Every structure is written in structure tokens, then in C-alpha cells.
């Protein structure tokens, strides 16, 4: 089945130690998104890629970076995680154009910062 | 900028009964899309139902239906014959398509508990 895959599902990192979260998709969607979701809150968009074009949300901290080496993969890099960065990180994809435009979400990576 | 408001942080319903989740939004746009997403505990977010603003007919997907009132900017979700598996966080979301992608604005969510 076509899907959005996130690895790892659970990640523990130390305060200040860089960490990378991974997202891959088999849907061949051209848009990929990264959200941060804290407990019992709505997902908050960090940034997204429209094809190769990176779009950063105005209030996304500089500590968060992203890479999209090809259509299928997208990475979220947290350069110096703080305790406040502990959250669920959701990857989503969509296709611009055509009949299908909703976002498809991965299962998320739960990040713990110790 | 768009805002989405879900006024019910938590709700509960008995199995097999009907429940309605509220959502209101604020926008100056005329063409947009509305969604209800479901996020079960420790599981991924999935789309429940979508509504195009240009369509007057309310969307229906099996036991799930919406009451879309464009003038009132209201988009409620009705779940009929509630099942235990409907227990989840439900997010209402607004989308305006543009050339840079299809960004969602989420409401704060409603936690629904279906009781046996």
C-alpha cells in the first residue's frame, strides 16, 4: 500500500545533541510537510517542500532545518534540541493538482529530550 | 489569516448513539476546503471527511456526515451509530490552495470518548 513512513517511531536525544528524523513516501506526492504536535494540541506547521522549493513558516525556530534530497524522502534536523522541543513530529504529503489534494500523514516520531 | 475554532475540548457518547462535533472558522476567502481528521490514541492521523466550499451538498462518508453552513462559517461533524473505534482526537481543518502547497489550518481539537 502507498503510504507515508516515518523513522524512527520513538527517538530519545540528549539536550543539545543534534538529531535527525526521517520521512519517506510511496505516494509520489510533490509536497511534503513537517509538523510539530505537542500533547493534546493541534499540529503546528514548521515548513514544507513544494517540489524542491523550501517554504519556512515565519515562527519556526532556526534550530529546525529540513532537507529533501529527492521526491520520496524528507528529513527534519534539530540542531540543538532543547527540552521544549520534546513533541510528536508528523510528516505529511499532498499532491498539488488533480483530484486528490488532502494531506496524508505518517504515524509520527515521538521525540524525547533528556 | 484563517482561524479555526473547536469549542468542545472533550466530548463523550454512548456506543451506538449519535454525536455532533462543532467547528467554526473565519476567512475572507470564497474558495476553500474543509476537513475533519481523526487521530486515535498513539495512532496516525487519518482523513475522515472533506468538503469543498463551492459545493452546497453536505459531504457524507458512511456513518460520518457534515453540516456545512457557509454563510455562518460553520462545519460540524456528525457521527452516527458511534463505535468504540471512533474514540480519538478529532481535528477540524481549513485549507486554501495556493501555488506553494496546500496548507492546513487546524482547530484545537475535540477529544471524543465512546463509552460501551
Amino acid at each position: 500500500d502507498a503510504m507515508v513512513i516515518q523513522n524512527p517511531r520513538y527517538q530519545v536525544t540528549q539536550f543539545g545533541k543534534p538529531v535527525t528524523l526521517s520521512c519517506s513516501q510511496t505516494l509520489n506526492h510533490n509536497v511534503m510537510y513537517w509538523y510539530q504536535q505537542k500533547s493534546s494540541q493541534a499540529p503546528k506547521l514548521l515548513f514544507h517542500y513544494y517540489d524542491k522549493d523550501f517554504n519556512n513558516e515565519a515562527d519556526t525556530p532556526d534550530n529546525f532545518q529540513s532537507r529533501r534530497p529527492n521526491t520520496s524522502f524528507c528529513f527534519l534536523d534539530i540542531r540543538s534540541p532543547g527540552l521544549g522541543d520534546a513533541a510528536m513530529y508528523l510528516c505529511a504529503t499532498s499532491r498539488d493538482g488533480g483530484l486528490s489534494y488532502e494531506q496524508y500523514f505518517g504515524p509520527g516520531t515521538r521525540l524525547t529530550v533528556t | 489569516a484563517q482561524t479555526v475554532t473547536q469549542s468542545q475540548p472533550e466530548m463523550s457518547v454512548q456506543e451506538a448513539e449519535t454525536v455532533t462535533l462543532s467547528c467554526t472558522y473565519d476567512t475572507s476567502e470564497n474558495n476553500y476546503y474543509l476537513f475533519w481528521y481523526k487521530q486515535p490514541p498513539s495512532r496516525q492521523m487519518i482523513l475522515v471527511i472533506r468538503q469543498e466550499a463551492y459545493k452546497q451538498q453536505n459531504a457524507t462518508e458512511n456513518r460520518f456526515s457534515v453540516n456545512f453552513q457557509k454563510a455562518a462559517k460553520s462545519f460540524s461533524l456528525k457521527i452516527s451509530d458511534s463505535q468504540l473505534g471512533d474514540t480519538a482526537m478529532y481535528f477540524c481543518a481549513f485549507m486554501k490552495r495556493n501555488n506553494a502547497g496546500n496548507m492546513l489550518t487546524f482547530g484545537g481539537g475535540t477529544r471524543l470518548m465512546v463509552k460501551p
Side-chain angles (χ1 to χ4, degrees):
Chain A
D1 289 339
M3 58 177 57
V4 182
I5 302 161
Q6 291 189 245
N7 286 305
R9 295 291 308 277
Y10 301 90
Q11 176 74 57
V12 179
T13 191
Q14 292 178 335
F15 183 94
K17 185 175 181 180
V19 65
T20 295
L21 309 182
S22 169
C23 177
S24 64
Q25 53 127 342
T26 60
L27 297 163
N28 201 31
H29 285 171
N30 62 324
V31 192
M32 294 186 77
Y33 310 80
W34 279 105
Y35 291 89
Q36 180 191 65
Q37 186 180 28
K38 296 194 174 180
S39 181
S40 299
Q41 296 182 20
K44 177 181 180 298
L45 182 65
L46 295 173
F47 27 58
H48 74 282
Y49 274 93
Y50 186 100
D51 295 325
K52 295 182 180 180
D53 294 332
F54 178 70
N55 297 270
N56 199 27
E57 292 301 298
D59 57 354
T60 298
D62 293 339
N63 198 25
F64 292 85
Q65 305 282 320
S66 186
R67 296 170 283 134
R68 189 180 187 185
N70 54 52
T71 300
S72 301
F73 284 87
C74 196
F75 300 97
L76 169 62
D77 302 308
I78 308 176
R79 293 191 298 183
S80 181
L83 297 178
D85 297 328
M88 177 75 86
Y89 289 88
L90 302 176
C91 175
T93 71
S94 71
R95 172 181 291 282
D96 188 51
L99 297 178
S100 176
Y101 43 81
E102 67 261 29
Q103 292 188 18
Y104 293 78
F105 286 82
T109 295
R110 183 168 297 282
L111 178 68
T112 300
V113 182
T114 61
Chain B
Q2 288 70 228
T3 59
V4 180
T5 302
Q6 293 179 246
S7 59
Q8 305 149 315
E10 293 186 358
M11 294 190 73
S12 63
V13 63
Q14 291 296 131
E15 194 175 9
E17 293 188 348
T18 295
V19 64
T20 298
L21 280 57
S22 301
C23 174
T24 58
Y25 58 94
D26 188 23
T27 184
S28 58
E29 303 288 344
N30 191 47
N31 294 319
Y32 50 87
Y33 302 82
L34 296 163
F35 304 90
W36 279 98
Y37 278 91
K38 168 186 177 181
Q39 189 176 36
S42 301
R43 297 182 63 185
Q44 71 193 82
M45 191 167 321
I46 58 173
L47 180 67
V48 175
I49 198 166
R50 64 172 176 261
Q51 175 80 43
E52 292 87 346
Y54 64 85
K55 290 186 177 179
Q56 292 186 335
Q57 187 172 5
N58 288 326
T60 299
E61 288 287 344
N62 300 315
R63 297 183 294 108
F64 299 87
S65 62
V66 298
N67 184 4
F68 173 49
Q69 302 289 328
K70 190 173 183 179
K73 297 179 182 176
S74 171
F75 182 62
S76 61
L77 174 70
K78 186 172 81 171
I79 306 174
S80 303
D81 186 25
S82 297
Q83 300 176 0
L84 296 179
D86 295 333
T87 292
M89 196 77 167
Y90 287 81
F91 291 99
C92 177
F94 172 102
M95 186 186 78
K96 173 71 172 77
R97 300 182 72 180
N98 59 46
N99 293 331
N102 305 325
M103 259 58 70
L104 290 172
T105 300
F106 285 95
T110 295
R111 187 178 301 278
L112 177 68
M113 172 74 71
V114 180
K115 299 180 178 179

